[in-house]
Amino acid sequence: MSNMLFGRYIPISSCIHKIDPRIKLIAYIVFFVALFLNYGSNFQNYIMFAIFFILLMIVVFIGKVSIWSIFKSIKAIWLMMILLLIVNMFFTQQGNIWFTIAGFDFYDEAFYRTFYIVFRLILMIMLTSILTATTQPMELTFAMEWVLTPLGFCNTMRVLIHVFAMTISLALRFIPSLADDASRIMQAQASRGVDFKNGKLKDRIKGLISLVIPLFVSCLSRSSDLADAMDARGYDPLAKRTRYNKRKWSISNSISCVVLVLFLAGMIVLSVYQLDFVDMILEVING
């Protein structure tokens, strides 16, 4: 658990690390929206997910991000995958019958839907892991503030942009810290004879309680220390903020934004008109 990449910044020199954090956040939003679009049939959705996965793997390779750490982050949602499969198996009554148990029919559409959701979750975790691994927390806060700037001019909503961005960045920042605390507590409890993997269900629940309570206390302690540290440094969320390092908007950033907007527009067109892009590609290849 301590090797989990989700929310952890990796200080490595790469092309992805050097990209403006605002462009990385915009790209993250664009890919996130594209993931939730429906491109027609199940086959076409899977093809798009495969394309997104290949693109993300290329980014992982260029950004020198550990793919094994990302897989360890994905491993943490295996229980959710099983629950999704069970729910879909009992509540999905569409498609072809694969098998029957005790007079209850199980349809293939249940497995397709589960695979569809799981693949989307994996891509979401990969996206977030790449963003946090290649972007420093302060730069990510700055990017969030910049993206949310239009909300600051809306008098009816009265959104405190800096407070919102700081809250999100702190939450992402402390995910790996909480994972390290959980790993440390599990090792301490295991040395006292607590078995988290074997034994009866009742014993496992007791072991889980022995993990959750100290972890909850650790969270409160960290929150209190963080609040004291920010207060000691004179942090005021309502005060006017200034920055030591100021980033300028370059022409390359504008070009990147145009490319991302065109990419998102293309994905929306494929989703709205339900185009059979597989046949279109085959026709282009065949001439």
PDB file of all heavy atoms in Angstrom, residues 1-5 8 176 178-180 182-183 186:
ATOM      1  N   MET A   1       0.823  -1.210   0.000  1.00  0.00           N
ATOM      2  CA  MET A   1       0.000   0.000   0.000  1.00  0.00           C
ATOM      3  C   MET A   1       0.854   1.256   0.000  1.00  0.00           C
ATOM      4  O   MET A   1       0.478   2.296  -0.521  1.00  0.00           O
ATOM      5  CB  MET A   1      -0.934  -0.012   1.216  1.00  0.00           C
ATOM      6  CG  MET A   1      -1.970   1.096   1.240  1.00  0.00           C
ATOM      7  SD  MET A   1      -3.087   0.969   2.651  1.00  0.00           S
ATOM      8  CE  MET A   1      -3.929  -0.562   2.285  1.00  0.00           C
ATOM      9  N   SER A   2       2.039   1.184   0.595  1.00  0.00           N
ATOM     10  CA  SER A   2       2.908   2.351   0.643  1.00  0.00           C
ATOM     11  C   SER A   2       3.465   2.702  -0.720  1.00  0.00           C
ATOM     12  O   SER A   2       3.934   3.820  -0.937  1.00  0.00           O
ATOM     13  CB  SER A   2       4.064   2.093   1.625  1.00  0.00           C
ATOM     14  OG  SER A   2       4.808   0.967   1.225  1.00  0.00           O
ATOM     15  N   ASN A   3       3.435   1.750  -1.670  1.00  0.00           N
ATOM     16  CA  ASN A   3       3.932   2.005  -3.026  1.00  0.00           C
ATOM     17  C   ASN A   3       2.857   2.530  -3.959  1.00  0.00           C
ATOM     18  O   ASN A   3       3.088   2.663  -5.154  1.00  0.00           O
ATOM     19  CB  ASN A   3       4.526   0.717  -3.605  1.00  0.00           C
ATOM     20  CG  ASN A   3       5.755   0.262  -2.837  1.00  0.00           C
ATOM     21  OD1 ASN A   3       6.521   1.074  -2.350  1.00  0.00           O
ATOM     22  ND2 ASN A   3       5.926  -1.048  -2.715  1.00  0.00           N
ATOM     23  N   MET A   4       1.674   2.818  -3.437  1.00  0.00           N
ATOM     24  CA  MET A   4       0.588   3.295  -4.275  1.00  0.00           C
ATOM     25  C   MET A   4       0.924   4.667  -4.833  1.00  0.00           C
ATOM     26  O   MET A   4       1.380   5.553  -4.104  1.00  0.00           O
ATOM     27  CB  MET A   4      -0.721   3.352  -3.466  1.00  0.00           C
ATOM     28  CG  MET A   4      -1.933   3.686  -4.306  1.00  0.00           C
ATOM     29  SD  MET A   4      -3.467   3.635  -3.334  1.00  0.00           S
ATOM     30  CE  MET A   4      -3.170   4.975  -2.180  1.00  0.00           C
ATOM     31  N   LEU A   5       0.702   4.872  -6.125  1.00  0.00           N
ATOM     32  CA  LEU A   5       1.080   6.105  -6.807  1.00  0.00           C
ATOM     33  C   LEU A   5       0.007   7.175  -6.713  1.00  0.00           C
ATOM     34  O   LEU A   5       0.304   8.361  -6.842  1.00  0.00           O
ATOM     35  CB  LEU A   5       1.384   5.798  -8.280  1.00  0.00           C
ATOM     36  CG  LEU A   5       1.920   6.945  -9.134  1.00  0.00           C
ATOM     37  CD1 LEU A   5       3.258   7.421  -8.602  1.00  0.00           C
ATOM     38  CD2 LEU A   5       2.052   6.512 -10.583  1.00  0.00           C
ATOM     39  N   ARG A   8       0.505  10.838  -5.324  1.00  0.00           N
ATOM     40  CA  ARG A   8       1.906  11.017  -4.924  1.00  0.00           C
ATOM     41  C   ARG A   8       2.700  11.650  -6.064  1.00  0.00           C
ATOM     42  O   ARG A   8       2.697  11.144  -7.187  1.00  0.00           O
ATOM     43  CB  ARG A   8       2.510   9.672  -4.546  1.00  0.00           C
ATOM     44  CG  ARG A   8       3.869   9.768  -3.865  1.00  0.00           C
ATOM     45  CD  ARG A   8       4.460   8.373  -3.720  1.00  0.00           C
ATOM     46  NE  ARG A   8       3.598   7.513  -2.944  1.00  0.00           N
ATOM     47  CZ  ARG A   8       3.658   7.388  -1.614  1.00  0.00           C
ATOM     48  NH1 ARG A   8       4.527   8.087  -0.938  1.00  0.00           N
ATOM     49  NH2 ARG A   8       2.832   6.564  -0.992  1.00  0.00           N
ATOM     50  N   PRO A 176      -1.550   9.574  -0.361  1.00  0.00           N
ATOM     51  CA  PRO A 176      -0.413   8.665  -0.114  1.00  0.00           C
ATOM     52  C   PRO A 176       0.032   8.653   1.337  1.00  0.00           C
ATOM     53  O   PRO A 176       0.500   7.615   1.833  1.00  0.00           O
ATOM     54  CB  PRO A 176       0.681   9.211  -1.041  1.00  0.00           C
ATOM     55  CG  PRO A 176       0.293  10.616  -1.336  1.00  0.00           C
ATOM     56  CD  PRO A 176      -1.199  10.629  -1.337  1.00  0.00           C
ATOM     57  N   LEU A 178      -1.932   8.924   3.974  1.00  0.00           N
ATOM     58  CA  LEU A 178      -2.863   8.035   4.670  1.00  0.00           C
ATOM     59  C   LEU A 178      -2.589   6.573   4.319  1.00  0.00           C
ATOM     60  O   LEU A 178      -2.728   5.687   5.168  1.00  0.00           O
ATOM     61  CB  LEU A 178      -4.302   8.410   4.322  1.00  0.00           C
ATOM     62  CG  LEU A 178      -4.783   9.776   4.817  1.00  0.00           C
ATOM     63  CD1 LEU A 178      -6.213  10.038   4.373  1.00  0.00           C
ATOM     64  CD2 LEU A 178      -4.689   9.857   6.329  1.00  0.00           C
ATOM     65  N   ALA A 179      -2.200   6.325   3.075  1.00  0.00           N
ATOM     66  CA  ALA A 179      -1.845   4.956   2.679  1.00  0.00           C
ATOM     67  C   ALA A 179      -0.620   4.475   3.447  1.00  0.00           C
ATOM     68  O   ALA A 179      -0.558   3.312   3.886  1.00  0.00           O
ATOM     69  CB  ALA A 179      -1.598   4.897   1.176  1.00  0.00           C
ATOM     70  N   ASP A 180       0.365   5.361   3.627  1.00  0.00           N
ATOM     71  CA  ASP A 180       1.548   4.994   4.417  1.00  0.00           C
ATOM     72  C   ASP A 180       1.174   4.730   5.871  1.00  0.00           C
ATOM     73  O   ASP A 180       1.693   3.794   6.497  1.00  0.00           O
ATOM     74  CB  ASP A 180       2.588   6.115   4.333  1.00  0.00           C
ATOM     75  CG  ASP A 180       3.164   6.272   2.934  1.00  0.00           C
ATOM     76  OD1 ASP A 180       3.083   5.299   2.152  1.00  0.00           O
ATOM     77  OD2 ASP A 180       3.683   7.359   2.620  1.00  0.00           O
ATOM     78  N   ALA A 182      -1.745   3.706   6.956  1.00  0.00           N
ATOM     79  CA  ALA A 182      -2.473   2.436   7.007  1.00  0.00           C
ATOM     80  C   ALA A 182      -1.514   1.251   6.951  1.00  0.00           C
ATOM     81  O   ALA A 182      -1.689   0.264   7.688  1.00  0.00           O
ATOM     82  CB  ALA A 182      -3.472   2.370   5.850  1.00  0.00           C
ATOM     83  N   SER A 183      -0.491   1.341   6.097  1.00  0.00           N
ATOM     84  CA  SER A 183       0.493   0.262   6.006  1.00  0.00           C
ATOM     85  C   SER A 183       1.266   0.123   7.315  1.00  0.00           C
ATOM     86  O   SER A 183       1.508  -0.999   7.794  1.00  0.00           O
ATOM     87  CB  SER A 183       1.453   0.543   4.847  1.00  0.00           C
ATOM     88  OG  SER A 183       2.438  -0.447   4.758  1.00  0.00           O
ATOM     89  N   MET A 186      -1.038  -1.445   9.941  1.00  0.00           N
ATOM     90  CA  MET A 186      -1.242  -2.877   9.677  1.00  0.00           C
ATOM     91  C   MET A 186      -0.040  -3.690  10.132  1.00  0.00           C
ATOM     92  O   MET A 186      -0.194  -4.777  10.707  1.00  0.00           O
ATOM     93  CB  MET A 186      -1.512  -3.089   8.185  1.00  0.00           C
ATOM     94  CG  MET A 186      -2.864  -2.597   7.703  1.00  0.00           C
ATOM     95  SD  MET A 186      -3.141  -2.870   5.936  1.00  0.00           S
ATOM     96  CE  MET A 186      -3.177  -4.661   5.879  1.00  0.00           C
TER      97      MET A 186
END
